[in-house]
Amino acid sequence: MLAITGATGHLGRATIEALLPKVAANQIVALARDPQKATDLSERGVQVRVGDYDDVASLVAAFQGVEKVLLISGDDLEKRTQQHKNVIDAAKQAGVKHVIYTSVLNPSKDSHFTASPSHVATEEYLRGSGLTYTLFRNTLYLDFVPMFLGQDAVPSGKIYSAAGDGKVTYALRNEIAEALANVLTSNGHENQTYDIAPAPAYSMQEIAATLSEVVGKPVEYVSISSADMAAGMRQHQVPEPVVTMMVGLSEAMRANEFNHPSDAFEKLLGRKSTDVKTFLASVYGK
């Protein structure tokens, strides 16, 4: 049996959708804090079990009979290192053999990206747990590019970013889910670390040029400072924790922290991944 944590989130649901053609629905365990949010999955035969990252007992109960667990990283940056340790401890107690963890590309305690240090801590804890592990070090989602560009990018013909000339590899979330499903249902991934970062990497300048091609009008990249980015977000009443995270993410992009292309993703996927131009055409090419 395969257990997916965070099953009501975007990546968890997408992974379950990718698993359903491969394995019987009753061999998939979907963990959710609120099972009501997963009633559609239970109607399709998936086992929905209560699993709360803050409640080890609930996790131990949810993992009964499970061989592999997909640990999808939590979204509470203050609590999540302990939450991830809770999942790993519960997996050991329940007799789980193998944990697949969604980390981040190029994790570092010194990263500008505020989420990165907790990934380092989780990876270290998982490697030291004695469990078989697989680390998916995910680059930035291609799905987030429209958010980085801003809703006025095409009408105004301008993209403002504090990412400088830094380059980033991007991967589509649904394709990461597909690769996760492939790993969950095959062997040979024991104690492996995969950089989920398909080539090529793109600067914001290159994304602006690609968007110009797609929409048939000039779109210019305007490089701004982190301070100006933060001030602009505060003007729009963006909550301070989000300002901190987004500024840090832009600084990480500028520092080339996500510029580490690898062929691992396309090998796991079994085909070429969606590129930036194809994705932008699907969003802006209407």
Side-chain angles (χ1 to χ4, degrees):
M1 276 204 298
L2 310 172
I4 313 300
T5 73
T8 57
H10 292 294
L11 184 59
R13 276 195 172 267
T15 303
I16 291 170
E17 292 295 342
L19 281 171
L20 281 166
K22 295 173 174 290
V23 297
N26 65 2
Q27 294 300 298
I28 302 169
V29 175
L31 267 67
R33 275 179 306 188
D34 180 2
Q36 293 298 313
K37 293 182 178 175
T39 50
D40 60 311
L41 293 175
S42 55
E43 286 166 2
R44 294 164 72 186
V46 174
Q47 294 191 50
V48 176
R49 300 180 183 175
V50 175
D52 186 329
Y53 286 177
D54 294 314
D55 182 352
V56 176
S58 78
L59 295 167
V60 173
F63 290 151
Q64 294 305 309
V66 168
E67 183 184 355
K68 295 180 184 178
V69 168
L70 171 59
L71 168 52
I72 293 178
S73 53
D75 55 13
D76 186 332
L77 292 185
E78 289 184 11
K79 294 165 64 178
R80 77 173 183 177
T81 300
Q82 184 58 52
Q83 290 177 331
H84 295 167
K85 289 178 178 180
N86 291 345
V87 175
I88 294 163
D89 290 345
K92 279 189 77 170
Q93 287 183 49
V96 169
K97 299 283 190 288
H98 189 166
V99 173
I100 295 100
Y101 174 62
T102 61
S103 185
V104 71
L105 188 64
N106 191 31
S108 166
K109 291 175 181 173
D110 303 317
S111 171
H112 295 282
F113 184 37
T114 51
S116 198
S118 62
H119 286 300
V120 175
T122 302
E123 285 194 9
E124 288 176 353
Y125 196 77
L126 180 54
R127 278 195 295 263
S129 70
L131 291 165
T132 299
Y133 65 85
T134 306
L135 302 176
F136 256 57
R137 287 180 168 172
N138 294 338
T139 191
L140 300 188
Y141 290 157
L142 194 45
D143 314 62
F144 289 169
V145 169
M147 178 183 71
F148 296 154
L149 303 186
Q151 59 186 18
D152 296 328
V154 175
S156 70
K158 287 185 166 41
I159 294 168
Y160 298 90
S161 172
D165 298 322
K167 292 195 174 191
V168 176
T169 54
Y170 293 98
L172 201 60
R173 182 165 46 206
N174 279 359
E175 291 181 345
I176 294 176
E178 207 177 318
L180 284 166
N182 289 345
V183 167
L184 282 160
T185 54
S186 61
N187 297 317
H189 309 290
E190 294 79 8
N191 301 332
Q192 296 296 307
T193 299
Y194 297 122
D195 285 345
I196 307 301
Y202 296 82
S203 66
M204 292 302 290
Q205 178 73 52
E206 288 166 332
I207 287 181
T210 305
L211 183 58
S212 298
E213 284 181 53
V214 166
V215 299
K217 61 171 277 192
V219 180
E220 176 192 1
Y221 169 51
V222 182
S223 183
I224 60 173
S225 68
S226 295
D228 285 345
M229 178 182 175
M233 293 177 78
R234 289 184 185 114
Q235 276 184 342
H236 288 89
Q237 281 77 53
V238 175
E240 200 58 32
V242 179
V243 173
T244 301
M245 187 182 73
M246 291 304 296
V247 169
L249 182 57
S250 294
E251 290 174 348
M253 293 164 76
R254 187 167 64 223
N256 281 296
E257 290 186 27
F258 303 103
N259 185 8
H260 296 268
S262 165
D263 63 357
F265 181 44
E266 292 184 343
K267 285 180 178 174
L268 295 174
L269 200 54
R271 65 172 193 279
K272 290 287 289 179
S273 60
T274 300
D275 62 20
V276 165
K277 185 173 185 179
T278 302
F279 174 74
L280 290 177
S282 74
V283 177
Y284 296 97
K286 300 179 180 67

